[in-house]
Amino acid sequence: MNQRPYNFSAGPATIPVEVLEQAAADMLNWQGSGMGVMEMSHRGKEFISIYEQAEADFRELLAIPMDFEILFMQGGGLGQNAIVPLNLSRGGTVDFVVTGSWSQKSCHEAEKYAAEVNLAASGESSDFTTVPDPASWQLSRGASYLHLCSNETIHGVEFQKLPDLKALGSDAPLVIDFSSHVASRTVDWSRVGLAFAGAQKNLGPAGLTVAVVREDLLGQALLACPSAFNYQIVADHQSMYNTPPTWGIYIAGLTFDWLKRQREGDLTGIAAIEQRNITKAQLLYDTIDQSQFYVNKVAPHYRSRMNIPFFLRDESRNDAFLAGAKERGLLQLKGHKSVGGMRASLYNAMPLEGVQALVAYLQEFERQSA
Ligand SMILES: *Cc1c(COP(=O)(O)O)cnc(C)c1O
């Protein structure tokens, strides 16, 4: 295949070429079955084998303990914004830490379902360029859970470490929206009660949503919770209470297989991809920080490895920058409309060569503009 352009989209986003090629090869006839994966019954032995392998690989890659259920659902991250309070709020108070657009959206949605929503902390006064010190969070007593977004896709703010709520004096389970950095790094499951992610950033196509739920949080849904979104019911049916997003699960499975094959020195799997993600992000942040022409405003300790918003100091050059990028095969760099500027998303499937090409272009454009 000819060299493909580098796609910096925030999502749906770039997918490893090997995964796309395998999917294309399997399209009409998966492993001699005479059927493509989209045409299979979700209850047939062919698809069940795809599903079981995908689930086992995801558990292995992210070292998910056995007391967590892995649920393959539909409805996206925004669906989970309602599904989580429907399942976990128990008619009580829920705590929110708002660090950008996504957690803000989650917070507003929860207000429809939870008896009370407590804004424990917000980064809004910093224009979401940093996270309030966890020691300052106003946690409520007996909260049903605390929600945060562990990587803010739009503002480029990432928790490098999940908070230890117990140490902060709260017994609430931690709920994380990890949509845009799932499988980019290891997860400390001892600090997590529930994690959810839409697949379209780092796992595969839109339409699949993964929820990882600690078992003791099942079985507490409000009566109004739709059965298809009741974690207990979904878990009891191995994600097949209703037809699961079969194509998404299949592509995610190919992506997990690709992840398992990754190597960086002695590292494999998630450890390898995490190392590569650190290298990629560092290269771009260093280039931005060393220039007088570009700027990233996020506090260094909270800078996202996955989504890097940046600005040209001379914003009148934005259109020329994007046009030149496109000419060089560097696609979808325009920032989110709520923030402006540029954004480069460096998900797992973005190779180091893509970031090197972007950095070379940043330097070239700066020289040209001098
Ligand atoms: C993309 C994204 C979502 C949105 O998910 P949908 O699939 O569009 O519902 C939610 N949260 C985060 C952090 C995201 O990056």
Side-chain angles (χ1 to χ4, degrees):
M1 194 189 272
N2 290 334
Q3 163 87 51
R4 302 180 84 218
Y6 294 113
N7 177 358
F8 295 92
S9 171
T14 187
I15 289 177
V17 178
E18 293 98 310
V19 169
L20 296 173
E21 286 175 341
Q22 185 66 50
D26 290 348
M27 183 64 82
L28 277 72
N29 184 358
W30 180 82
Q31 296 198 0
S33 65
M35 299 175 280
V37 175
M38 274 184 272
E39 305 169 296
M40 292 173 179
S41 164
H42 58 296
R43 304 197 189 279
K45 69 175 182 350
E46 293 88 356
F47 184 75
I48 296 283
S49 75
I50 290 171
Y51 161 84
E52 287 179 345
Q53 189 68 50
E55 188 196 8
D57 285 347
F58 188 61
R59 191 181 291 282
E60 179 190 327
L61 277 165
L62 279 183
I64 300 171
M66 288 310 290
D67 62 333
F68 283 78
E69 296 278 351
I70 297 170
L71 309 178
F72 293 118
M73 303 175 71
Q74 308 202 35
L78 293 188
Q80 293 294 321
N81 284 348
I83 295 168
V84 170
L86 280 165
N87 277 274
L88 302 191
S89 66
R90 294 184 287 122
T93 301
V94 301
D95 282 349
F96 267 82
V97 173
V98 171
T99 55
S101 302
W102 287 110
S103 46
Q104 196 162 49
K105 240 184 195 156
S106 305
C107 186
H108 289 319
E109 187 73 359
E111 285 165 357
K112 293 189 195 170
Y113 303 100
E116 202 178 321
V117 169
N118 168 48
L119 184 60
S122 169
E124 193 164 12
S125 64
S126 75
D127 280 336
F128 298 123
T129 56
T130 191
V131 174
D133 178 0
S136 73
W137 295 359
Q138 302 290 311
L139 303 174
S140 43
R141 195 179 293 271
S144 300
Y145 62 89
L146 181 143
H147 177 120
L148 60 82
C149 177
S150 45
N151 183 65
E152 288 281 358
T153 321
I154 293 173
H155 288 89
V157 170
E158 181 171 16
F159 281 83
Q160 302 305 329
K161 235 180 147 177
L162 294 174
D164 180 352
L165 296 188
K166 281 227 162 43
L168 296 173
S170 168
D171 287 326
L174 178 65
V175 171
I176 61 171
D177 173 358
F178 70 160
S179 293
S180 52
H181 71 166
V182 57
S184 73
R185 61 189 302 153
T186 58
V187 175
D188 180 356
W189 293 103
S190 73
R191 295 192 172 177
V192 175
L194 183 152
F196 68 80
Q200 69 270 27
K201 316 293 168 52
N202 238 345
L203 303 180
L208 165 65
T209 315
V210 180
V212 183
V213 191
R214 210 174 59 210
E215 274 165 7
D216 63 289
L217 300 175
L218 298 172
Q220 308 173 2
L222 303 179
L223 216 54
C225 180
S227 303
F229 295 146
N230 181 315
Y231 293 134
Q232 175 80 66
I233 294 176
V234 178
D236 287 346
H237 292 81
Q238 284 79 45
S239 300
M240 304 227 185
Y241 174 71
N242 66 329
T243 310
T246 54
W247 177 255
I249 293 169
Y250 158 69
I251 300 290
L254 294 179
T255 305
F256 300 152
D257 197 49
W258 176 83
L259 277 168
K260 284 169 66 178
R261 295 195 304 272
Q262 300 308 301
R263 300 276 180 278
E264 266 322 300
D266 294 338
L267 304 172
T268 63
I270 294 295
I273 208 80
E274 178 165 9
Q275 186 57 55
R276 197 178 307 155
N277 288 332
I278 291 170
T279 305
K280 283 153 49 184
Q282 195 66 52
L283 177 59
L284 182 51
Y285 282 120
D286 284 349
T287 305
I288 292 168
D289 289 345
Q290 285 159 17
S291 106
Q292 299 300 312
F293 194 78
Y294 307 102
V295 61
N296 169 282
K297 299 175 182 171
V298 179
H301 180 62
Y302 285 104
R303 285 176 164 183
S304 170
R305 296 171 185 163
M306 294 285 102
N307 309 99
I308 303 183
F310 61 94
F311 300 86
L312 277 58
R313 289 186 191 270
D314 176 4
E315 298 232 87
S316 73
R317 302 283 291 145
N318 283 358
D319 289 345
F321 176 88
L322 288 167
K326 192 166 177 207
E327 249 169 53
R328 284 161 187 76
L330 306 169
L331 306 182
Q332 309 207 70
L333 283 163
K334 193 177 166 118
H336 190 273
K337 60 181 183 310
S338 66
V339 170
M342 309 296 156
R343 173 174 51 171
S345 294
L346 312 183
Y347 296 123
N348 289 344
M350 173 58 63
L352 178 60
E353 293 74 27
V355 185
Q356 289 166 335
L358 174 60
V359 160
Y361 173 61
L362 287 176
Q363 292 166 340
E364 180 195 328
F365 189 79
E366 180 172 359
R367 277 194 304 274
Q368 275 175 9
S369 306

